[in-house]
Amino acid sequence: MCDDRFLIIMGMAHSGTTILAKTLAQCSEIVPYVSGEASVLFENEELVNRNVEDVQRLKDFANSSPAKWIMLKRPWSELAPDFFREHFPRARYLCCLKSPEDQYHSWRKTDSLVSDYMRESLTQQIFYYAKHLLHASSFQWFSGCDNFRMMHYDFLLHHKETAFAELAKWLGLDFKFDVSEIISGGRTR
């Protein structure tokens, strides 16, 4: 399998992964991988088992797709970097990060995704953010490599043209992404 064709977007909820996935999906050379029922958010939670069958499904999908990139958004297997290091060492990894304060305020605004306990506990929010940073740093075996990028949420929102131009260059795409749908609150229209 050509694991160098996979683009894996990592990051916790409300960190910019949906904005990235939706915008990147504008390019016909990037195809979102969706297992199970199709999802507008391109979530791949079905990859939780991290087994040979999951790898084979991805391999079959990649072999049948003419696209340059196969995009995975927030596969829960991202929490096990050894799985990806073993099966997808040459994939491109894009990790989204958001400040703890912004993360906390974003969660407080969203009733559907976060329990009252999580919404009320700043300590829990900071713990979750620290856990994410630890998880992101577990991909340090990419340090200094061209196949790993961090995308900070503020940079994505305030420098969206630059952010997506840099991503297009990093992915070897001759494509100008339409970022006009990204609004200041981090949503797409």
Side-chain angles (χ1 to χ4, degrees), residues 1-7 24-33 58-72 171-173:
M1 173 170 67
C2 296
D3 63 288
D4 56 353
R5 293 181 57 211
F6 285 92
L7 171 61
L24 290 170
Q26 294 172 7
C27 179
S28 63
E29 293 185 69
I30 300 175
V31 172
Y33 173 76
L58 287 169
K59 181 189 284 190
D60 293 344
F61 184 82
N63 288 336
S64 68
S65 175
K68 181 173 185 173
W69 294 101
I70 309 300
M71 178 172 55
L72 299 172
L171 296 171
L173 301 172

Side-chain angles (χ1 to χ4, degrees), residues 108-131:
R108 286 187 57 88
K109 293 178 191 174
T110 307
D111 292 330
S112 62
L113 296 178
V114 182
S115 69
D116 288 336
Y117 173 74
M118 288 290 285
R119 194 176 302 107
E120 297 304 322
S121 171
L122 180 58
T123 303
Q124 189 70 15
Q125 302 297 332
I126 291 172
F127 171 77
Y128 188 46
Y129 186 78
K131 181 179 175 183

Side-chain angles (χ1 to χ4, degrees), residues 4 6-8 69 90-94 146-147 170-171:
D4 56 353
F6 285 92
L7 171 61
I8 300 170
W69 294 101
R90 296 182 318 246
R92 298 285 174 110
Y93 293 87
L94 181 56
D146 189 47
N147 56 336
W170 180 57
L171 296 171

Side-chain angles (χ1 to χ4, degrees), residues 5 16 26 36 64 68 78 84 117 138 154 164 179 185:
R5 293 181 57 211
Q26 294 172 7
S64 68
K68 181 173 185 173
E78 74 185 36
F84 281 100
Y117 173 74
S138 68
D154 287 339
F164 281 97
V179 295

